Amino acid sequence: DRYSVFLRIMRQWQNLTSLKRSGRSHDPAGVDATQQGQLAVLCPACLQLRKNVPEDLAHVSSNERWLYSLFLAIDANFCLKCRLVSNEIKDPGLSPGWGYFVEEGQYKTYLHDHADVRQEKSMCVSHNVINMADTKLSKGLAATGVGSVVCARHDMRLASGVGDLQRGEKYMNMDYIVFSALSAFASTPIVNFSYDIACQWHKKLWQRVTTLPSQLQPNRAHTAFNFFVPKFHIAAHIAACQMNFSFNWTPGVGRTDGEAPECGWADINRIAASTKEMGPGSRCEVLDDHFGDWNWKKVTAFGHVLLRKIKEAIKAKTEHHHALTELEKSIKQSDLGVASLTNWTNKVLAWELDHSNPNPFESRVTATMQAAVRLELLMQDAQDLEDRSSVSLHSDVTLSILISTGLDIEHTQRRLRADNGSLGQHATNEQQTKILACSNSLQCRIEAWTKIQVLYMPSVSQLRATNATALNHTPSDDEESGCPRPRPNSIKPEDFQLLFPSDICSYALCDPKLLHIEWSLRFVQANDALDKCQSHIRLRHQLLRFKSQHLRGQCANTRAQKTIQAVDERLVLSHDKYLRARSALVCLSRHVDHQSCRGSGLLMGSLHMTARGCKTVTLCIEWCKARARHNWWQEEIQLLLVEMQRVLAFLAWEARQWDERATLRMVERSEYVEGLIAYANCQAAIRRGLSASFSGMWRDVGALVSAGLDYGAEGEQDDRPAINGPSIDEPPHEDLNGVD
């Protein structure tokens, strides 16, 4: 059986190849002098002091300091498990801590010393990675997964930035891994962390950092740390986190999304089943080898990737500049708009300088929602029943439940009338079946509701017996919403008169408590309906604008028209709900003492959907977002230009390093000397070839940025470099046959 022997040979070949590619064979000190993370392929576009940027950044002005930021993305992968099939004694690593994994001995010593530390519970949404970190299933596993730190803008693995997770995604594991990777960037002025649980992880972080080994503790006096949640993950967080940890509204981050680790996991997960059965040493070396291959592919693709990104950024910046200009032009049409714009600008600039100031992207208007009012009324019912101050006439339905259920039935009637009105003359059997099923269900709900209604409102039975009509306060003709009105003499459930307290309070006695309950529910119903009307109008305007600018052809326009029609239908329903709620409030205001609300705009006039009602809050937030969208594309262009310069500078630095290594080591045999020189020259030529290739691709970037135009304006130009150099589509060394 030669298989086990072959595996050992393969491991030795991988180890020797990694050492050779990192220049360890040219070092007179030998392999034993290899430092932590020295075998890793570094990111040439990131901030690398003394490699692609000067060591002393004191000359950098405060306005340009953000260009020297380091973007780190943190994440864990629980697919990369490791079974407990061996140990470090039986399967030791040949390059412990020299690549992407942290040094195992110091890492496990730190974890053992802090094993009794309990994980704090999440104060945001229920993050399972936090709340269930101590309960992660680990039976039979040496590692439940890996934690990793990558370059957030270029998706490259960092040296000493990967570590095993023994029992879930614990803070102490991630702290050690993060600051092990960060130790290579000691003098970075700004570090931006992206983590899907950053809102919780950053709490007490600096208190935990004091427990790390001294060589891993950062110098906070010279480095500013910012924390973000990746753009895809942030939607699952509470509203406060979405405001305070968003990439979108923070200056100095460009179009960084923080989701870079997910791309790397998709690539590495293909070998998860193989590495799960390996010993600790073999597994780390195989993963290191794949991480290095991933990084090198990223390096050789920088020419095309950065060129594509800057083309997209220039085009998007131009579009958002026009959008911002049009918005500001419409705002400045009045003197009030000019003053408001100046005020908003001062507010957003103050917040960008100091986040302790009010956040202009956050709405300060706290609208009371129907769900909140219903909950408050139910809590009041429970308190009344407990104090025996109120007696419920039904075992399951209280006064508040009666009115809130009636409002739900009223809305169902409204929708059913609209659906009936939209049926054509030749409705299908399926459409008729659906309408009839809804009608039958509604009839049952109405019968059950009216039986309970009689208990709390006895007068309704007499009013229905006398066939009293016109009690429902329907909108007048000048307030027509477009929604079909109920027919007075119809026996269909969608036309049935529910007779709320607001309908009968002018004709019969009614419990004052019922009037107060309906007032509270109608008031928030009107507010919610008004907000939805505003939202539907803005959405309809945006859809019409998008259809006019981008859609051509019958197929696309037909689909767009159907979408717009659906928005119009929702607008009609919301408008009718608002008018009905307002009409009820007008009647209730004569019998309920709510002086503070009688003079409000809610009871004055019909629906007015103009900019006048949105300028103070909605328009301010929309302008701030439009400004942010324009600015982040401008920042993205600046970051990409700086990264292009760093890539070329880093490749030039690496080429010089290989030139110096060529004659650094003295050996006795002449063929060894020739081999060392040839390999060093080959590696230096590869870097110079990549640099020449990238320079050729980016030769017109300066003119493109200055003009603010895309290459596609006059036809797509060839991305291939005019200068002879190694192709990105083929291994660079194949073009180096003539190198000495």
Side-chain angles (χ1 to χ4, degrees):
D1 182 13
R2 300 293 183 180
Y3 185 66
S4 59
V5 177
F6 174 75
L7 291 180
R8 287 196 293 269
I9 293 174
M10 184 183 69
R11 285 188 61 188
Q12 292 177 356
W13 177 83
Q14 286 179 340
N15 182 53
L16 292 174
T17 303
S18 298
L19 292 169
K20 181 179 68 171
R21 289 172 177 169
S22 303
R24 301 309 305 149
S25 59
H26 291 73
D27 191 343
V31 174
D32 293 336
T34 305
Q35 302 297 318
Q36 301 293 318
Q38 199 167 357
L39 303 188
V41 177
L42 303 181
C43 176
C46 281
L47 190 71
Q48 307 281 355
L49 297 180
R50 299 181 299 277
K51 298 179 179 66
N52 55 14
V53 294
E55 181 177 6
D56 185 13
L57 299 178
H59 66 284
V60 179
S61 64
S62 58
N63 294 333
E64 297 180 348
R65 199 164 180 257
W66 64 275
L67 293 171
Y68 295 86
S69 301
L70 179 67
F71 295 84
L72 300 182
I74 310 165
D75 198 17
N77 184 351
F78 293 103
C79 291
L80 296 177
K81 297 179 176 65
C82 180
R83 294 189 183 277
L84 191 59
V85 295
S86 185
N87 54 46
E88 287 80 3
I89 298 177
K90 295 180 180 179
D91 185 30
L94 300 180
S95 53
W98 295 351
Y100 301 93
F101 273 83
V102 296
E103 202 281 316
E104 195 74 10
Q106 298 178 10
Y107 178 47
K108 289 191 173 180
T109 300
Y110 170 77
L111 297 179
H112 179 268
D113 294 341
H114 299 83
D116 56 343
V117 177
R118 299 292 299 177
Q119 186 96 330
E120 299 95 346
K121 297 300 181 182
S122 172
M123 301 301 293
C124 184
V125 293
S126 182
H127 295 299
N128 289 336
V129 295
I130 300 175
N131 297 337
M132 301 179 66
D134 293 319
T135 61
K136 188 74 176 178
L137 182 62
S138 59
K139 184 178 180 180
L141 297 176
T144 59
V146 298
S148 174
V149 186
V150 304
C151 166
R153 287 188 57 82
H154 316 109
D155 189 19
M156 293 187 65
R157 302 288 170 185
L158 299 185
S160 301
V162 183
D164 285 332
L165 304 176
Q166 288 70 33
R167 197 178 179 88
E169 194 171 348
K170 289 189 174 182
Y171 288 158
M172 59 181 179
N173 294 77
M174 303 307 294
D175 292 344
Y176 191 97
I177 296 169
V178 168
F179 289 99
S180 292
L182 189 60
S183 61
F185 305 91
S187 302
T188 304
I190 300 175
V191 176
N192 296 318
F193 286 118
S194 173
Y195 195 10
D196 51 7
I197 54 172
C199 58
Q200 304 301 311
W201 177 68
H202 87 288
K203 297 178 180 179
K204 300 183 181 180
L205 174 63
W206 305 118
Q207 180 180 341
R208 298 194 304 270
V209 165
T210 58
T211 65
L212 292 172
S214 58
Q215 69 272 17
L216 302 184
Q217 297 182 18
N219 185 358
R220 295 179 60 194
H222 300 90
T223 303
F225 294 90
N226 302 317
F227 301 90
F228 301 93
V229 175
K231 291 185 178 181
F232 178 78
H233 290 78
I234 199 169
H237 288 245
I238 61 177
C241 294
Q242 295 181 25
M243 287 292 107
N244 298 325
F245 297 93
S246 174
F247 276 104
N248 288 333
W249 320 131
T250 304
V253 297
R255 282 291 295 162
T256 310
D257 57 22
E259 297 289 353
E262 307 300 336
C263 302
W265 295 143
D267 177 78
I268 201 64
N269 283 346
R270 292 179 292 179
I271 66 168
S274 299
T275 57
K276 181 166 61 175
E277 305 294 338
M278 296 180 181
S282 302
R283 173 174 169 272
C284 288
E285 290 165 11
V286 169
L287 290 176
D288 271 347
D289 187 58
H290 281 79
F291 290 152
D293 177 69
W294 172 266
N295 277 12
W296 179 248
K297 289 177 180 177
K298 289 286 184 179
V299 171
T300 58
F302 264 123
H304 291 298
V305 170
L306 295 184
L307 180 61
R308 172 178 54 81
K309 286 185 176 182
I310 202 165
K311 285 182 179 181
E312 294 174 354
I314 293 172
K315 181 179 179 181
K317 187 256 181 182
T318 303
E319 293 176 353
H320 287 284
H321 174 74
H322 292 328
L324 178 62
T325 302
E326 291 179 5
L327 179 61
E328 291 183 344
K329 187 183 297 183
S330 64
I331 295 174
K332 292 178 180 178
Q333 290 179 357
S334 65
D335 295 337
L336 178 61
V338 175
S340 299
L341 194 60
T342 304
N343 185 32
W344 300 340
T345 304
N346 295 333
K347 286 183 178 180
V348 73
L349 291 176
W351 178 79
E352 289 176 353
L353 293 175
D354 185 5
H355 279 17
S356 63
N357 291 316
N359 190 338
F361 297 96
E362 183 177 1
S363 177
R364 301 294 171 181
V365 178
T366 56
T368 304
M369 307 300 291
Q370 291 189 63
V373 173
R374 292 187 179 190
L375 177 60
E376 183 180 353
L377 291 173
L378 287 175
M379 293 174 62
Q380 183 62 42
D381 289 343
Q383 184 65 37
D384 292 343
L385 292 174
E386 183 178 350
D387 298 340
R388 298 187 182 277
S389 60
S390 176
V391 178
S392 177
L393 301 179
H394 193 275
S395 58
D396 297 325
V397 180
T398 61
L399 292 175
S400 62
I401 295 178
L402 176 71
I403 302 301
S404 60
T405 306
L407 294 180
D408 293 338
I409 294 175
E410 182 186 61
H411 183 63
T412 305
Q413 289 179 311
R414 184 182 298 110
R415 291 188 61 88
L416 187 56
R417 289 196 300 270
D419 291 341
N420 269 322
S422 63
L423 285 179
Q425 295 181 356
H426 306 285
T428 64
N429 292 336
E430 184 178 355
Q431 291 174 331
Q432 293 179 2
T433 300
K434 183 178 179 181
I435 293 294
L436 187 58
C438 293
S439 179
N440 293 339
S441 175
L442 178 60
Q443 181 66 44
C444 295
R445 291 178 62 190
I446 290 175
E447 291 178 358
W449 185 78
T450 53
K451 290 179 181 179
I452 303 174
Q453 183 191 27
V454 174
L455 298 176
Y456 294 102
M457 301 169 59
S459 57
V460 297
S461 58
Q462 182 180 1
L463 292 173
R464 289 198 176 101
T466 57
N467 196 22
T469 59
L471 293 180
N472 278 9
H473 299 281
T474 55
S476 58
D477 292 337
D478 59 340
E479 294 180 338
E480 180 61 50
S481 65
C483 186
R485 295 186 181 183
R487 292 170 293 179
N489 298 323
S490 173
I491 60 173
K492 292 185 177 181
E494 60 267 27
D495 299 321
F496 182 80
Q497 292 187 2
L498 297 177
L499 300 183
F500 286 96
S502 59
D503 299 324
I504 67 172
C505 60
S506 299
Y507 305 94
L509 294 177
C510 190
D511 187 351
K513 191 171 184 179
L514 279 172
L515 299 177
H516 283 275
I517 290 174
E518 186 181 1
W519 172 276
S520 300
L521 291 172
R522 289 290 191 184
F523 191 81
V524 295
Q525 183 188 47
N527 276 317
D528 285 353
L530 199 57
D531 289 341
K532 288 182 180 179
C533 286
Q534 294 175 351
S535 177
H536 294 330
I537 289 176
R538 288 195 295 267
L539 177 59
R540 184 177 183 274
H541 173 74
Q542 184 63 26
L543 289 175
L544 289 172
R545 183 177 180 181
F546 181 85
K547 175 177 176 291
S548 174
Q549 292 180 349
H550 302 286
L551 298 185
R552 298 293 183 271
Q554 183 177 358
C555 181
N557 277 279
T558 301
R559 291 180 178 178
Q561 194 62 39
K562 187 175 181 180
T563 303
I564 295 171
Q565 183 180 356
V567 175
D568 286 338
E569 292 173 356
R570 292 197 294 268
L571 174 60
V572 167
L573 290 175
S574 298
H575 189 186
D576 188 75
K577 181 188 288 188
Y578 166 76
L579 294 178
R580 177 67 181 94
R582 178 186 174 277
S583 178
L585 287 171
V586 170
C587 294
L588 289 171
S589 63
R590 306 187 187 103
H591 305 275
V592 179
D593 184 16
H594 285 282
Q595 296 292 335
S596 59
C597 300
R598 287 183 184 175
S600 66
L602 186 66
L603 303 178
M604 291 184 177
S606 60
L607 180 65
H608 295 283
M609 197 52 55
T610 61
R612 179 170 51 184
C614 305
K615 280 184 179 179
T616 56
V617 179
T618 307
L619 191 57
C620 173
I621 295 176
E622 185 59 34
W623 175 83
C624 290
K625 291 181 178 181
R627 176 183 177 275
R629 285 189 286 266
H630 167 265
N631 288 351
W632 74 44
W633 284 114
Q634 178 64 37
E635 293 171 354
E636 181 70 10
I637 294 173
Q638 294 178 264
L639 284 172
L640 289 171
L641 290 174
V642 170
E643 288 168 355
M644 289 178 175
Q645 296 173 0
R646 289 178 188 164
V647 169
L648 298 179
F650 185 87
L651 292 174
W653 173 83
E654 275 197 319
R656 293 193 300 270
Q657 288 289 305
W658 280 108
D659 289 339
E660 295 173 1
R661 289 170 181 160
T663 57
L664 191 62
R665 181 180 173 186
M666 304 301 296
V667 292
E668 296 180 357
R669 301 180 62 173
S670 59
E671 56 267 30
Y672 290 171
V673 174
E674 292 178 359
L676 291 172
I677 294 175
Y679 187 81
N681 289 342
C682 177
Q683 293 297 320
I686 289 175
R687 270 67 180 182
R688 291 192 176 97
L690 286 174
S691 180
S693 174
F694 296 167
S695 299
M697 292 181 188
W698 303 337
R699 62 184 180 274
D700 296 326
V701 167
L704 177 63
V705 173
S706 300
L709 300 175
D710 196 356
Y711 283 169
E714 298 180 1
E716 190 70 21
Q717 296 187 11
D718 187 12
D719 290 340
R720 299 297 177 185
I723 305 174
N724 292 329
S727 171
I728 296 299
D729 295 332
E730 298 177 358
H733 60 272
E734 294 186 2
D735 296 325
L736 303 174
N737 296 328
V739 176
D740 294 334

